[in-house]
Amino acid sequence: LLRIRRPPRSTQSRSSAASDVYKRQVLLYSSVTGLIKASYYVLNLWMPYYLQTWGEDRDTPLQFELILQANEIMCIVCAISIGFISDKLGTRQIPLPFMLAISSATLFMIPRINAENSYLFYILCPFAVMMLIGPNNQIGSAVTSDLAKNKKLAGQASAVSTISAIVQGFGGVSAALAQQIAARLFNYLFIFVSGLIGLSALLIIPMAWREFQSKRQQKQELKLSLIHISEPTRLLSISYAVFCLKKK
């Protein structure tokens, strides 16, 4: 009788690097991207109507156009500053959890504003949007940077591009679905968005922690440079030369 034997483990077919990373990390990347994109687009679409309705119900008209203009200005300022700060720090991931946490806490306080302190809308709304626009702009490059550091994807640019495209596509779908949910939770708009941003801040911590450990390891490594090397003592099989190293 012929017996079909199982091939050795070394020759067994293995899943591709892209599929392995998909199982372990793509869900995390997609969730973070989807939550951030959904929060940003929900605020852009529903905030003007919420502010207008709030003012009419309390006979305290708000100049929501002024708030929207302030949002746009803060978005430009934050987009420029976060890029500059990220370049100086040499990282995209580490600032994101802090910015998301600040934005979530700010939005959570907005529903507590009453007619007597309605001026806080002009401060808190632009500030919350400013803290959100940075992660919204940086999440794509942060995901790509984190993927590039995965050893299983070394030299596989197509796999990184495929996963990045899946993540960005999931972000767009999440933003569309969030609009439907926000319409049903209109009276709790800022609480809803605050929860989305807070959850994204928690989920992005592992990505930021890996980046922090990588930066810390790089600083701890001893960096040396060659400053001098002498000629061999003799042209024999047993010989030696002197070289000098300098710590960078």
Side-chain angles (χ1 to χ4, degrees), residues 36-48 50-51 64-82 96 98-110 120-138 189-190 193-194 197:
I36 294 176
K37 296 291 184 183
S39 303
Y40 177 72
Y41 287 111
V42 165
L43 282 181
N44 274 348
L45 181 63
W46 292 100
M47 183 188 293
Y50 180 94
L51 297 176
F64 61 90
E65 298 90 352
L66 182 60
I67 297 177
L68 298 181
Q69 292 175 2
N71 289 348
E72 295 296 330
I73 295 174
M74 298 304 287
C75 287
I76 296 173
V77 172
C78 183
I80 297 174
S81 59
I82 190 64
L96 300 187
F98 300 99
M99 298 182 69
L100 291 170
I102 294 172
S103 179
S104 176
T106 304
L107 290 172
F108 188 79
M109 293 187 295
I110 290 179
L120 291 176
F121 278 115
Y122 300 94
I123 301 174
L124 297 183
C125 288
F127 181 74
V129 173
M130 181 184 70
M131 289 292 103
L132 178 60
I133 190 64
N136 181 71
N137 292 343
Q138 295 284 343
L189 177 67
F190 288 107
V193 179
S194 175
I197 298 175

Side-chain angles (χ1 to χ4, degrees), residues 21-204:
V21 174
Y22 174 82
K23 294 176 182 179
R24 297 186 179 185
Q25 295 181 340
V26 76
L27 181 60
L28 174 64
Y29 296 143
S30 300
S31 300
V32 172
T33 304
L35 291 170
I36 294 176
K37 296 291 184 183
S39 303
Y40 177 72
Y41 287 111
V42 165
L43 282 181
N44 274 348
L45 181 63
W46 292 100
M47 183 188 293
Y49 183 51
Y50 180 94
L51 297 176
Q52 182 181 4
T53 305
W54 187 93
E56 292 174 352
D57 292 343
R58 293 164 178 79
D59 294 329
T60 308
L62 293 174
Q63 297 180 1
F64 61 90
E65 298 90 352
L66 182 60
I67 297 177
L68 298 181
Q69 292 175 2
N71 289 348
E72 295 296 330
I73 295 174
M74 298 304 287
C75 287
I76 296 173
V77 172
C78 183
I80 297 174
S81 59
I82 190 64
F84 178 78
I85 294 173
S86 298
D87 291 339
K88 287 295 183 181
L89 295 177
T91 178
R92 295 283 189 270
Q93 295 92 329
I94 294 177
L96 300 187
F98 300 99
M99 298 182 69
L100 291 170
I102 294 172
S103 179
S104 176
T106 304
L107 290 172
F108 188 79
M109 293 187 295
I110 290 179
R112 290 163 172 77
I113 298 176
N114 51 41
E116 296 179 356
N117 54 11
S118 59
Y119 65 90
L120 291 176
F121 278 115
Y122 300 94
I123 301 174
L124 297 183
C125 288
F127 181 74
V129 173
M130 181 184 70
M131 289 292 103
L132 178 60
I133 190 64
N136 181 71
N137 292 343
Q138 295 284 343
I139 186 62
S141 59
V143 168
T144 304
S145 175
D146 198 52
L147 284 172
K149 295 177 182 177
N150 193 297
K151 296 180 180 179
K152 297 180 180 180
L153 292 178
Q156 300 193 35
S158 59
V160 175
S161 300
T162 300
I163 296 175
S164 299
I166 294 174
V167 170
Q168 293 299 326
F170 186 83
V173 173
S174 301
L177 293 176
Q179 304 295 340
Q180 304 299 323
I181 301 175
R184 291 166 174 78
L185 299 176
F186 178 73
N187 293 329
Y188 306 96
L189 177 67
F190 288 107
I191 300 297
F192 170 63
V193 179
S194 175
L196 294 180
I197 298 175
L199 182 58
S200 67
L202 292 176
L203 293 178
I204 206 174

